[in-house]
Amino acid sequence: MSDSHYTPKSKVGKWFNDRLPLLTLANHLTDYPTPKNLNYWWTFGGILTFCLITQIVTGLVLAMHYVADTKLAFASVEHIMRDVNYGWLIRYVHANGASMFFLAVYIHIFRSLFYGSYKSPREIIWIIGIIIYLLMMAAAFMGYVLPWGQMSYWGATVITNLFSAIPFIGEGITTWLWGGFSVDNPTLTRFYALHYLIPFLILGLVVLHIWALHVPGNNNPVGIEIKKPSNDTVPFHPYIVIKDAFALLLFMIVFAFFVFYTPNILGHADNYIEANPLVTPAHIVPEWYLLPFYAILRSVPDKLMGVIAMFSAILILVALPWLDTSKVRSAVFRPLYKQFYWILVLDVLVLGYVGAMPAEGLYLLVARIATAYYFIHFLIILPFLGFIEKTNPVPLSITEPVVAGAAMATRSDGENKIENNLKSLG
Amino acid sequence: MSDKKPKNRRDFIFTATAAAGAVGVGAAVWPLVDQMNPDASVKALASTEVDISSVKPGQSITVVWRGKPVFIKRRTQEEIDKARSVSLEELKHPEKDEDRVKNPEWLVMLGICTHLGCVPLSDKGEYDGWFCPCHGSHYDTSGRIRKGPAPINMEIPEYVFLNDNTIKIG
């Protein structure tokens, strides 16, 4: 890395840095050359870091008042809401913070899908990201169980029962997860312990995610490799810091709107009824961010196959860097992929919608078609598209389309094609 | 890579150390894994006795056994006939009604949908038995799965009639 020659100016700084090169790290993060054309879709990494820290801080405070016991949990959450100073605020920030976290992570993931950020040499960044996403879902699910309302209890029952679909050992695994013969006190206490642990695992993975990112550097909207540093890059501080901070402010306005104006709109009224093992709510639905996967689970009429389909829908993303065979990263230069990308976005939104609806009639039919299309997109369309798609010419550098934009336009198509072919070879 | 090294005593020591280490790690991890299984206090609540004298024909009561709901349904003659008239070929999980009850009047079963563990609603669904609101499984008057995603019939727990008015579950 170019910044390995950094020497602190002060004597004390040099003394410290020779023993622990923290200042070298700080210098690397400050000067880190970033593509100068990053748009606002690139600000969600910073926003997600903010979300993680918000969840850890508010969660730590809630843990000081919450009691993980089936007889006391529900009351302790109400105690937080009514008695603890600012308890209502802290809990609403934590509960809505989970939704905001997922909102940001979905934008972040779809940003990668659009600009091909998962492609070589960034596969490891992408896979670490998928693991973080899986851990986020685990943490969110267990966190939702803690208030011990009806949705907590029955959500926990349905999700843990997914493992009973595994042949032969499934029942044993489910009993082991529960620590009993149904979701009960042992389940609640272990979920609490794990809910506390997972954010710190995520934090560790975020460090790896960023480390892996800083090896090749950021992808960019044009999707080409750039020289770093060069006149295609700007230092991370102050350029990207300011841009990220501005985007974060806008994001916090949305966050604050939910917290202060509609704190319960993303939850379920049933969860304000204490858990009752003898009565299942008429309509069990997971939180909104899990709905597309829930729709996939329900669209398959066989228990084991439904569970396999649901997990495959997430795990298929791990193979994405190899399923997408196109040499061109950014959808900007891929006219066909761009259209399929938006169809996929629509498909996932449709899955989310039908996931919230009862699994019958037309909803079920739509869920089945959307599920099939989801897999077709990744397993059939993407691998073939790389071979048949005629991509548009890709610029040589980020600066080129700006300063030589007019020149580019006047050049013949043939020249562009040759250049493009050369690039895909090199 | 291609040159074959003769196996020497050091290779043996490496293998032996790795094997002993693996056994040691396994032995240390097992208590950490097994502590999550049901503990002694959970297992101690293994059986429940239920007084059924007040249940009228057609009525159903729900009792808790090992933290799970158990349906005790006193079936009407009509419901018994309906359960027994079905041919086994029509069933997803073929079981005779005779094999699911000890006394045809009393159906005792775990009130848990075999799909993902919700509690089905009684006297609902297309087969007048139970209907699971979570993912739409229909059960008949013998608690057998007839339609929907559940793979098998609702389970029959171990139980005995201690006398005409008392059932011991577990």
Side-chain angles (χ1 to χ4, degrees):
Chain A
M1 254 174 263
S2 58
D3 45 20
S4 59
H5 306 299
Y6 168 79
T7 354
K9 287 190 189 82
S10 74
K11 242 183 172 173
V12 179
K14 194 176 176 311
W15 178 88
F16 182 86
N17 206 47
D18 285 346
R19 282 150 185 80
L20 179 67
L22 270 186
L23 294 171
T24 302
L25 178 66
N27 176 259
H28 162 76
L29 295 176
T30 313
D31 285 355
Y32 173 63
T34 319
K36 65 180 180 186
N37 60 339
L38 295 191
N39 56 33
Y40 276 103
W41 300 114
W42 259 266
T43 58
F44 283 86
I47 287 170
L48 283 162
T49 313
F50 165 80
C51 287
L52 178 61
I53 291 167
T54 305
Q55 291 307 88
I56 289 177
V57 171
T58 52
L60 176 77
V61 176
L62 289 171
M64 296 178 184
H65 304 279
Y66 171 76
V67 186
D69 183 299
T70 51
K71 292 189 189 69
L72 305 169
F74 188 81
S76 77
V77 171
E78 283 310 302
H79 161 73
I80 289 169
M81 293 301 290
R82 293 152 196 253
D83 304 338
V84 175
N85 298 335
Y86 291 106
W88 61 272
L89 176 66
I90 296 160
R91 175 165 175 261
Y92 277 155
V93 168
H94 195 73
N96 285 283
S99 280
M100 292 301 114
F101 207 155
F102 276 95
L103 174 69
V105 93
Y106 282 128
I107 296 174
H108 195 61
I109 291 172
F110 275 102
R111 191 285 321 271
S112 290
L113 291 179
F114 188 85
Y115 294 109
S117 301
Y118 49 84
K119 291 189 198 186
S120 174
R122 296 183 180 80
E123 301 96 322
I124 299 295
I125 312 173
W126 171 255
I127 291 170
I128 292 171
I130 300 296
I131 299 171
I132 293 174
Y133 174 49
L134 279 171
L135 284 176
M136 277 175 63
M137 290 199 274
F141 157 66
M142 292 188 195
Y144 198 60
V145 174
L146 302 184
W148 210 243
Q150 273 288 66
M151 279 293 169
S152 301
Y153 182 89
W154 290 102
T157 299
V158 168
I159 301 294
T160 50
N161 261 303
L162 291 178
F163 293 93
S164 72
I166 303 167
F168 309 116
I169 53 165
E171 292 294 333
I173 290 178
T174 314
T175 306
W176 177 73
L177 287 172
W178 288 338
F181 302 104
S182 61
V183 174
D184 210 332
N185 205 48
T187 325
L188 178 63
T189 48
R190 68 190 52 178
F191 276 18
Y192 182 47
L194 293 173
H195 182 70
Y196 207 120
L197 167 72
I198 290 174
F200 296 97
L201 297 182
I202 294 177
L203 190 63
L205 284 167
V206 166
V207 171
L208 294 184
H209 194 62
I210 296 173
W211 185 2
L213 168 71
H214 280 229
V215 176
N218 291 68
N219 184 31
N220 61 74
V222 182
I224 54 170
E225 284 304 307
I226 51 169
K227 261 185 74 186
K228 288 171 278 263
S230 69
N231 64 351
D232 275 349
T233 66
V234 289
F236 187 77
H237 183 75
Y239 296 95
I240 304 297
V241 170
I242 288 296
K243 187 161 183 156
D244 277 0
F246 180 64
L248 179 60
L249 276 177
L250 297 180
F251 184 79
M252 284 163 84
I253 292 173
V254 177
F255 197 146
F257 171 79
F258 280 106
V259 169
F260 292 106
Y261 290 92
T262 61
N264 287 306
I265 198 169
L266 298 169
H268 298 287
D270 274 315
N271 222 30
Y272 282 99
I273 303 169
E274 192 167 359
N276 180 352
L278 300 183
V279 180
T280 306
H283 191 45
I284 296 190
V285 218
E287 293 287 82
W288 69 267
Y289 39 80
L290 301 175
L291 287 174
F293 301 109
Y294 193 60
I296 291 174
L297 168 76
R298 296 195 304 180
S299 68
V300 183
D302 180 82
K303 179 172 167 178
L304 179 61
M305 290 312 291
V307 173
I308 290 174
M310 186 183 72
F311 282 109
S312 311
I314 305 167
L315 294 178
I316 205 170
L317 296 173
V318 174
L320 178 61
W322 296 276
L323 288 172
D324 185 346
T325 51
S326 177
K327 295 270 190 295
V328 177
R329 284 200 197 103
S330 175
V332 171
F333 305 104
R334 300 184 61 190
L336 282 177
Y337 174 71
K338 199 191 276 181
Q339 291 173 30
F340 285 115
Y341 170 85
W342 287 112
I343 297 174
L344 179 73
V345 173
L346 186 70
D347 186 64
V348 172
L349 291 176
V350 167
L351 279 172
Y353 175 73
V354 293
M357 294 294 138
E360 56 198 27
L362 187 62
Y363 294 126
L364 192 57
L365 180 71
V366 172
R368 285 182 177 158
I369 294 169
T371 298
Y373 184 79
Y374 182 90
F375 287 103
I376 289 169
H377 175 91
F378 288 107
L379 292 175
I380 297 171
I381 295 175
L382 279 191
F384 279 101
L385 213 53
F387 295 108
I388 58 166
E389 187 178 35
K390 193 173 160 293
T391 55
N392 293 337
V394 177
L396 280 173
S397 75
I398 293 172
T399 316
E400 187 193 46
V402 183
V403 299
M408 278 278 288
T410 55
R411 285 200 308 188
S412 74
D413 239 332
E415 272 174 310
N416 286 340
K417 224 175 279 167
I418 292 163
E419 189 181 290
N420 199 22
N421 288 342
L422 281 174
K423 223 164 303 153
S424 61
L425 287 171
Chain B
M1 291 293 162
S2 59
D3 56 322
K4 270 191 199 161
K5 277 192 205 156
K7 291 202 169 67
N8 55 29
R9 290 200 296 181
R10 182 163 290 179
D11 292 328
F12 173 74
I13 295 287
F14 277 149
T15 312
T17 310
V23 171
V25 169
V29 165
W30 177 245
L32 299 176
V33 172
D34 192 43
Q35 54 82 24
M36 281 176 67
N37 273 316
D39 61 34
S41 72
V42 171
K43 284 183 188 160
L45 302 169
S47 71
T48 310
E49 285 182 24
V50 188
D51 178 11
I52 52 167
S53 55
S54 60
V55 185
K56 295 190 179 68
Q59 258 188 346
S60 171
I61 59 167
T62 307
V63 296
V64 181
W65 172 64
R66 287 176 159 187
K68 297 177 178 186
V70 174
F71 294 154
I72 302 177
K73 164 106 182 174
R74 187 169 182 180
R75 298 190 294 182
T76 59
Q77 193 55 46
E78 193 191 337
E79 285 168 330
I80 299 170
D81 294 342
K82 202 168 174 184
R84 302 208 158 173
S85 64
V86 181
S87 82
L88 289 184
E89 282 106 66
E90 284 178 50
L91 299 173
K92 189 173 177 183
H93 176 198
E95 266 187 318
K96 281 190 192 163
D97 183 61
E98 286 85 341
D99 298 334
R100 291 176 56 80
V101 288
K102 291 197 171 155
N103 171 349
E105 206 180 357
W106 296 95
L107 175 64
V108 179
M109 65 180 179
L110 278 185
I112 291 180
C113 179
T114 56
H115 182 224
L116 293 174
C118 299
V119 179
L121 306 168
S122 60
D123 299 316
K124 289 233 164 64
E126 290 173 24
Y127 297 88
D128 299 321
W130 285 266
F131 170 71
C132 182
C134 294
H135 308 96
S137 293
H138 299 257
Y139 296 88
D140 66 12
T141 53
S142 188
R144 292 173 297 199
I145 179 66
R146 300 299 291 274
K147 190 182 171 190
I152 56 172
N153 302 335
M154 279 196 265
E155 262 182 75
I156 307 293
E158 273 182 43
Y159 67 94
V160 283
F161 282 92
L162 293 178
N163 54 51
D164 281 351
N165 290 331
T166 318
I167 297 179
K168 184 184 170 194
I169 305 168

